[in-house]
Amino acid sequence: MAIDARRVRERELDQRELKERVVEINRVAKVVKGGRRFSFTALVVIGDEVDRVGVGYGKAREVPLAISKAVDDAKKNLFQVPKKGQTITHEIIGKFGAARVLLRPASEGTGVIAGGGVRAVRELAGIRDILAKSLGTPNPINLLKATVQGLQSLRRPEDVARIRGKQVHEVLFPRAKRAEPAQTATEPQPAQAATEPQPAVEDGVPSEETTSAVPEDQE
């Protein structure tokens, strides 16, 4: 039964249409004995806008051939992205060479806060809400590879729960708050405010010490 379910899943993945997006095309010059020999390189991202994405790099003497090679390379590097709704499962930093890319899940309606090739990877992977920030080199190739490394390092809640021996809802954020134990110790009573001393009264007449001096009427 598990093998049949896997085959059905693979068939569904194969039927999804892969969309491609060219991130960058660069002209490369190679100096030879007779002069310069020019060629073109293409950086391409492909994905089904659901949960699969891949990045490819191609080089050829003409631009269309370079893009075709990059697409073929990207199809070999397809992988699935763990998601929670329309965002990623947890925060992570992707690293490759001198590139650092911070990936942070976002609430619904935030959108894709990213730029350049990083944005292309998010959209073709089916991620609709995410925050991304480049912390290192702006090289587009290293940025894309750092993004891919970060997405491949994401873990699913089911896998984390199985490793830790807990239920899925216990590892998801925010976690349910634990019931606070009832307080048994009695709270200290507030100190009574000190009362001001009252003047001494003898037979209904205040004493001379406590009576205030009243100025005599001037003639």
Side-chain angles (χ1 to χ4, degrees), residues 181-195:
Q183 297 181 357
T184 55
T186 58
E187 298 181 356
Q189 298 294 333
Q192 296 182 356
T195 56

Side-chain angles (χ1 to χ4, degrees), residues 15 78 166:
Q15 292 177 354
L78 281 173
K166 295 185 177 182

Side-chain angles (χ1 to χ4, degrees), residues 69-197:
K69 288 184 177 181
V71 171
D72 294 339
D73 184 45
K75 289 181 180 179
K76 299 177 184 178
N77 302 322
L78 281 173
F79 66 96
Q80 284 188 304
V81 180
K83 296 194 307 178
K84 178 187 175 184
Q86 298 295 330
T87 186
I88 58 179
T89 54
H90 57 85
E91 179 180 337
I92 196 170
I93 296 180
K95 302 177 182 180
F96 184 86
R100 301 288 187 276
V101 178
L102 172 63
L103 308 177
R104 182 175 295 176
S107 58
E108 185 177 357
T110 302
V112 179
I113 309 300
V118 180
R119 185 182 187 91
V121 175
R122 303 295 186 281
E123 293 178 349
L124 292 180
I127 301 174
R128 299 292 178 262
D129 304 304
I130 193 173
L131 303 174
K133 177 65 177 177
S134 174
L135 305 177
T137 176
N139 184 284
I141 299 177
N142 288 350
L143 274 178
L144 286 187
K145 290 186 177 181
T147 304
V148 169
Q149 191 274 336
L151 294 178
Q152 290 178 339
S153 301
L154 291 174
R155 295 192 295 176
R156 302 179 185 275
E158 297 81 3
D159 300 336
V160 177
R162 184 174 62 255
I163 294 173
R164 298 176 61 184
K166 295 185 177 182
Q167 300 294 331
V168 177
H169 67 275
E170 294 178 351
V171 299
L172 290 177
F173 184 84
R175 303 180 182 88
K177 295 183 178 180
R178 298 181 179 179
E180 298 181 357
Q183 297 181 357
T184 55
T186 58
E187 298 181 356
Q189 298 294 333
Q192 296 182 356
T195 56
E196 298 181 356

Side-chain angles (χ1 to χ4, degrees), residues 36-48:
R36 293 183 179 180
R37 183 177 299 172
F38 293 98
S39 59
F40 298 89
T41 62
L43 187 62
V44 177
V45 180
I46 66 172
D48 57 3

